[in-house]
Amino acid sequence: MEYSLVEPYERKARSIEESLGGLDMIKAGTPTERVVIKMRMGGAPYARIQSALGMIPKRTISMILKENAPELVSIDANNHKIPDDLHKDYD
């Protein structure tokens, strides 16, 4: 499935890209793709990436990661979750 990047996302991504710097090392085609990959490499959850880029759809974030950096799709970025061993007796 192909995704299309809307111009407001690209504008926002260009400004973020300038502030972050060092994104030229990431092999991706557009500023939005580079920012998504860089933020995910830093451990940002999808919600933070969404808000930084102006509410880009989570499906688009997922597709960008699957095409460019599939190892970043399923990392645990939600460190605030309750560990399974703490609530296993409440089922």
Side-chain angles (χ1 to χ4, degrees), residues 1-68:
M1 183 173 200
E2 188 65 29
Y3 61 89
S4 62
L5 296 172
V6 182
E7 178 58 30
Y9 302 144
E10 287 294 304
R11 260 185 284 142
K12 190 87 168 167
R14 276 189 227 109
S15 69
I16 293 171
E17 188 175 37
E18 290 172 5
S19 68
L20 287 177
L23 296 181
D24 53 341
M25 300 176 83
I26 296 174
K27 304 291 186 240
T30 66
T32 303
E33 292 173 347
R34 287 190 292 271
V35 168
V36 166
I37 293 168
K38 178 67 173 182
M39 289 183 75
R40 192 66 174 170
M41 286 171 65
Y46 281 31
R48 190 175 315 143
I49 296 170
Q50 267 189 309
S51 66
L53 290 172
M55 296 315 288
I56 188 171
K58 288 182 180 179
R59 176 174 276 171
T60 303
I61 294 170
S62 177
M63 293 171 89
I64 289 170
L65 291 173
K66 284 178 185 174
E67 288 181 9
N68 297 292

Side-chain angles (χ1 to χ4, degrees), residues 39-46 65 70-79:
M39 289 183 75
R40 192 66 174 170
M41 286 171 65
Y46 281 31
L65 291 173
E71 68 277 4
L72 298 175
V73 172
S74 62
I75 63 170
D76 181 21
N78 297 316
N79 299 325

